Amino acid sequence: MSADQTLLKTPLHALHIELGAKMVPFGGYDMPVQYPSGVMAEHKHTRAAAGLFDVSHMGQVRLIGEGAAAALETIVPVDVIDLGLFKQRYALFTNEAGGILDDLMIARRPDDLFVVVNAGCKVQDIAHMQAKIGDKCQVLPLPEQALLALQGPQAVTALSRLNPEVAKLTFMTGGFFNLDGIATFLTRSGYTGEDGFEISVHQDQAVDLARKLLAQPEVKPIGLGARDSLRLEAGLCLYGHDINTETTPVEASLTWAIQKVRRAGGARAGGYPGAAVVDEQLANGAARKRVGLVSSERMPVREGAKLVNADGAEIGVVTSGTLGPTVGKPVALAYLSKDYSALGTEVFAIVRDKRTPMTVSSTPFTPNGYYRG
């Protein structure tokens, strides 16, 4: 068996080939990294108009049953019980040390909780939910569902031609929509920092829907390369890089995702793996912190680059880095010792044995375009 036969394929695989995509292995799938126009053009097109991403490699799961929300709260530090109908929320699976097993999205629908997990963690996440809460609710994977992301300031214009009702949604809300004859569940959210939509559609209709979207003048296909530079400019974490089992939500600067009701003193405090560790860090801070970094020099700073202070002492590490196409400067996410994590602090990245000065910066590096109504 050749290497390419071992990779899984999304329902849009043949379409990517037809569109001239360069394919690479990602999360166990053969995925498009770029199309003929190239990563830079794709990145800029998404920021200016609308980009279509195949994210069908991600895991989609239904949690069914009266006790699903309460059950899910036993394995995530976020408020699921109070999540309103057709509202979506970001969440984290934690381990006993407070480390992050994965990040995920949860949407409440009339008959279930709809959960989307990362491709590389999909198998273990589903097993984790089945083992931990499978006795309290039904954990039903949806391998037959494809997932498309339409992102960019003109995404709503393009999608509204297939169903004008989608324009009524606001950021982190969703619903069931018929898109020019195709049944979907979609949310107004995404991973680029732009307005946009994540569309769950049956695999048998995925290509048809993708073609309808690509027929819109605003829309071009976008690969994983631009997806990564877009999410990095948006200051968003990539699992396995910026967050992992060795990072806690507090270290990862994701405390905004932990609602008051789940913190110490809250009505439903704790009760999830690693709660004591997370609560202690919420109260007293962590020894290191995820920060944004910007450089005024042109040298891109990549994942794994060591960070040092003026005296050359090691104080942290870069976890994601690129030359931000929209920002026009090298940007990075990194973990720094808390003594160096204040905004405006100058540190140095070691690139090819040379010191590149970087400044601790707020994220996102480019303003978000989310539609909040």
Side-chain angles (χ1 to χ4, degrees):
M1 188 147 119
S2 68
D4 60 11
Q5 284 175 295
T6 62
L7 290 172
L8 298 167
K9 292 176 179 177
T10 76
L12 299 180
H13 190 273
L15 179 60
H16 298 312
I17 302 296
E18 179 189 319
L19 294 169
K22 179 186 175 191
M23 307 298 285
V24 298
F26 184 83
Y29 284 76
D30 194 30
M31 295 293 287
V33 68
Q34 66 181 74
Y35 297 88
S37 66
V39 174
M40 181 69 78
E42 291 173 32
H43 179 111
K44 291 184 170 175
H45 183 82
T46 306
R47 289 267 183 258
L52 182 66
F53 302 77
D54 178 11
V55 286
S56 304
H57 58 313
M58 296 180 75
Q60 302 178 64
V61 184
R62 292 178 68 196
L63 302 183
I64 307 163
E66 292 283 313
L72 190 52
E73 283 198 1
T74 65
I75 54 174
V76 300
V78 308
D79 176 2
V80 186
I81 287 173
D82 301 326
L83 187 60
L85 185 63
F86 293 125
K87 293 282 199 325
Q88 181 172 257
R89 182 161 280 165
Y90 177 80
L92 305 154
F93 291 130
T94 50
N95 63 22
E96 294 301 336
I100 300 169
L101 296 171
D102 197 13
D103 58 347
L104 60 148
M105 298 299 268
I106 305 162
R108 184 185 288 282
R109 309 194 297 193
D111 303 318
D112 60 18
L113 290 172
F114 175 66
V115 175
V116 178
V117 298
N118 286 309
C121 306
K122 179 163 60 176
V123 173
Q124 70 201 46
D125 285 349
I126 291 168
H128 179 65
M129 288 189 282
Q130 283 168 335
K132 299 288 185 187
I133 62 174
D135 57 336
K136 302 182 188 77
C137 63
Q138 190 185 348
V139 178
L140 184 69
L142 302 170
E144 72 283 1
Q145 290 293 111
L147 194 64
L148 304 180
L150 185 69
Q151 298 284 301
Q154 294 174 20
V156 66
T157 309
L159 196 61
S160 292
R161 292 199 195 97
L162 306 188
N163 185 333
E165 294 296 306
V166 298
K168 295 177 181 174
L169 293 175
T170 55
F171 182 56
M172 296 294 267
T173 69
F176 292 95
F177 290 86
N178 185 300
L179 299 178
D180 194 26
I182 298 174
T184 70
F185 175 75
L186 60 84
T187 57
R188 197 163 188 172
S189 59
Y191 196 49
T192 58
E194 297 298 332
D195 184 21
F197 302 85
E198 303 258 324
I199 309 164
S200 178
V201 59
H202 193 276
Q203 60 189 10
D204 295 349
Q205 294 184 294
V207 172
D208 192 17
L209 179 58
R211 289 193 190 279
K212 287 177 190 285
L213 291 168
L214 290 168
Q216 309 304 316
E218 301 84 0
V219 182
K220 287 185 178 170
I222 311 294
L224 291 173
R227 178 175 159 88
D228 193 54
S229 56
L230 288 158
R231 71 92 197 164
L232 179 49
E233 284 188 337
L236 299 171
C237 294
L238 177 61
Y239 191 80
H241 300 261
D242 312 297
I243 48 175
N244 56 36
T245 54
E246 305 300 311
T247 56
T248 69
V250 180
E251 290 173 331
S253 301
L254 294 173
T255 54
W256 55 267
I258 307 176
Q259 291 75 26
K260 208 170 169 184
V261 70
R262 299 303 312 277
R263 299 184 182 209
R268 296 193 309 282
Y272 61 89
V277 175
V278 173
D279 280 337
E280 193 278 326
Q281 290 186 351
L282 281 167
N284 303 310
R288 60 180 189 144
K289 188 182 173 191
R290 181 178 66 90
V291 300
L293 295 174
V294 174
S295 173
S296 55
E297 299 190 2
R298 295 296 292 173
M299 178 72 75
V301 178
R302 305 291 183 195
E303 176 180 356
K306 288 179 178 172
L307 296 166
V308 299
N309 64 13
D311 299 327
E314 202 170 315
I315 53 171
V317 65
V318 170
T319 53
S320 285
T322 193
L323 184 64
T326 313
V327 184
K329 294 175 182 174
V331 294
L333 297 178
Y335 282 84
L336 275 177
S337 155
K338 68 175 178 188
D339 300 339
Y340 294 89
S341 64
L343 291 179
T345 306
E346 188 173 61
V347 299
F348 300 90
I350 305 299
V351 182
R352 297 184 199 151
D353 298 327
K354 293 201 178 98
R355 301 203 324 182
T356 296
M358 302 198 83
T359 305
V360 177
S361 157
S362 57
T363 57
F365 298 108
T366 188
N368 285 334
Y370 304 136
Y371 178 70
R372 300 184 187 271

